Amino acid sequence: MRMKQISYHVLSVFLLVAGCTATYAQLPPRIQKVTTVEGITEYRLDNGLRVLLFPDPSKPTITVNVTVLVGSGSEGYGEKGMAHLLEHLVFKGTPGHPDIPRELTEHGTRPNGTTSFDRTNYFETFQATEENLKWALDMEADRLVNSFIAKKDLDSEMTVVRNEWEAGENFPQAVLQKRILAAAYEWHNYGHTVIGARSDIEKVPIERLQEFYRKHYQTDNAILMVAGKIDEPTTLKLINASGDSSTSSPISENAASIYTSVQPIGMALSSPTMRKVEMRSQDVPSPHPNSFARSPVTVSGAIDCTTRRCSSPNWTRSSTDASDGRKPALGFAEMTRVPTFLRRDTSPSCCSSASAARTVCLLVP
């Protein structure tokens, strides 16, 4: 009898190990399982995106939520309320999804988003079908990196956000919270309300919003959660959404150096210290495992050699651009990390030689 019990235990352990091995073997490329806690499984994509899956077959719906780890706590002077204002603009569409509110209505859901001190999230709950889930993942992936963030939308949404600010000024609880925060955090951004200051809401330049969006709305600064009546393997395949496309040399975020093509900009930017910078992914000498590109990528911008600040960065894909010149809609796993020097201050070595055709630009960790 004892031998039978031992055999059963050995068989159970073998089946458990075999099941775990099979589960890992079935994962799509570029997705790694991290851990499972109380029915919620965490995965991580090679481009840094974290994914939480919470299957619940008792529900007739699915909820897709994207949390970007940025909020009012990351705003600078003259930018109070910018994170919340940007939340409104992200609903204004992308080249691949030009009318997001209409799409949400067609799929039986509505616009949902919230902004706090350290995070901004966007979510929708809809009937549990694979078609609806595929649409939601495609839409969220597209607006994470391809939102218009246009001046005309800022002009219209500014008045909406200002009305919210005015409503808060007439709400005693909001006024009390504003004064308590100001007393508790004298020199920290937590001392300001998320809704911001009226003067900043009315005057924030679209260029600052666009820079804020490009800097923080990246896959390595976001968490995707899918919960409800889902099949995990199917959901992971939809999230991966890259098929068997070939890859090229990825942009390396942590490489010791990257080669850039530097040309003087001159009076075009009203500053003799401004220089045009262009970098192609195939120029990067050492790929980083947490960066991924479907095809050669060109990233360009303008570096101010006085402040070492890169402004107006943009990127294009040389072999996947649509025929009309728009950026292609990418799945979550297909996205590429934007190089650090296009999101933060750059090294002075970028400006080491005004006449050099090529120079080395060191990245800031």
Side-chain angles (χ1 to χ4, degrees):
M1 184 67 178
R2 182 174 179 79
M3 291 299 295
K4 287 184 178 181
Q5 289 179 340
I6 294 175
S7 299
Y8 286 139
H9 287 310
V10 172
L11 180 61
S12 300
V13 171
F14 174 78
L15 292 175
L16 178 62
V17 172
C20 291
T21 303
T23 300
Y24 278 102
Q26 293 170 1
L27 288 178
R30 300 187 300 280
I31 295 182
Q32 298 177 353
K33 182 177 179 180
V34 178
T35 187
T36 300
V37 178
E38 297 184 2
I40 302 175
T41 305
E42 179 184 354
Y43 298 89
R44 187 180 292 271
L45 274 63
D46 284 353
N47 57 18
L49 180 73
R50 282 172 282 178
V51 178
L52 299 177
L53 298 186
F54 185 15
D56 186 355
S58 68
K59 302 291 185 182
T61 59
I62 297 174
T63 296
V64 172
N65 178 91
V66 172
T67 299
V68 185
L69 302 179
V70 65
S72 62
S74 299
E75 295 166 346
Y77 290 108
E79 298 178 346
K80 299 301 178 283
M82 192 168 69
H84 175 242
L85 190 53
L86 182 59
E87 176 213 318
H88 281 241
L89 297 187
V90 170
F91 283 96
K92 292 301 182 178
T94 71
H97 297 269
D99 193 347
I100 289 178
R102 178 182 60 80
E103 291 187 28
L104 290 168
T105 301
E106 290 176 349
H107 287 83
T109 184
R110 62 189 181 88
N112 285 300
T114 67
T115 305
S116 189
F117 296 103
D118 296 308
R119 60 109 190 111
T120 307
N121 74 309
Y122 307 86
F123 64 97
E124 49 276 342
T125 300
F126 44 83
Q127 205 64 29
T129 67
E130 185 173 333
E131 188 277 330
N132 281 343
L133 178 57
K134 183 178 180 180
W135 158 79
L137 293 173
D138 179 74
M139 185 268 293
E140 292 293 357
D142 198 22
R143 70 174 174 176
L144 180 64
V145 294
N146 284 334
S147 292
F148 290 129
I149 317 298
K151 180 66 167 64
K152 63 180 181 65
D153 296 326
L154 172 61
D155 293 339
S156 62
E157 286 302 308
M158 182 277 291
T159 58
V160 176
V161 174
R162 186 175 59 190
N163 287 341
E164 291 184 35
W165 181 90
E166 291 172 345
E169 291 297 296
N170 292 313
F171 185 44
Q173 182 178 340
V175 174
L176 177 62
Q177 181 188 32
K178 180 178 179 179
R179 294 180 179 177
I180 290 176
L181 289 174
Y185 301 97
E186 292 187 15
W187 300 104
H188 194 281
N189 269 6
Y190 289 172
H192 303 279
T193 57
V194 175
I195 193 66
R198 177 170 182 161
S199 59
D200 292 352
I201 294 171
E202 293 177 336
K203 298 177 181 179
V204 61
I206 187 62
E207 293 79 14
R208 283 204 189 182
L209 277 168
Q210 292 168 343
E211 181 183 353
F212 193 85
Y213 172 74
R214 283 189 296 259
K215 179 177 180 179
H216 296 289
Y217 279 62
Q218 302 290 335
T219 52
D220 57 359
N221 196 44
I223 301 172
L224 168 67
M225 186 199 74
V226 184
K229 194 173 184 179
I230 60 172
D231 175 67
E232 278 200 55
T234 301
T235 303
L236 288 174
K237 289 179 181 178
L238 292 175
I239 292 172
N240 195 53
S242 60
D244 55 357
S245 58
S246 61
T247 65
S248 65
S249 300
I251 292 177
S252 172
E253 186 175 56
N254 289 354
S257 64
I258 59 174
Y259 292 97
T260 61
S261 173
V262 180
Q263 300 174 348
I265 284 186
M267 298 306 293
L269 293 175
S270 302
S271 172
T273 64
M274 295 294 285
R275 258 195 258 157
K276 185 178 181 180
V277 177
E278 185 177 87
M279 187 271 286
R280 293 184 177 84
S281 61
Q282 57 263 41
D283 294 334
V284 180
S286 55
H288 187 268
N290 286 339
S291 300
F292 188 78
R294 288 188 62 185
S295 59
V297 177
T298 297
V299 190
S300 61
I303 287 183
D304 188 321
C305 298
T306 302
T307 63
R308 302 193 301 276
R309 184 78 176 171
C310 187
S311 62
S312 304
N314 59 78
W315 58 270
T316 57
R317 291 181 178 274
S318 59
S319 65
T320 57
D321 282 347
S323 58
D324 57 1
R326 299 181 307 180
K327 292 179 185 177
L330 304 177
F332 278 108
E334 298 175 284
M335 294 180 188
T336 306
R337 282 183 173 179
V338 173
T340 308
F341 85 97
L342 287 182
R343 285 195 263 168
R344 308 183 188 126
D345 291 349
T346 59
S347 163
S349 62
C350 293
C351 304
S352 59
S353 175
S355 60
R358 301 180 68 81
T359 186
V360 175
C361 173
L362 299 179
L363 298 184
V364 176

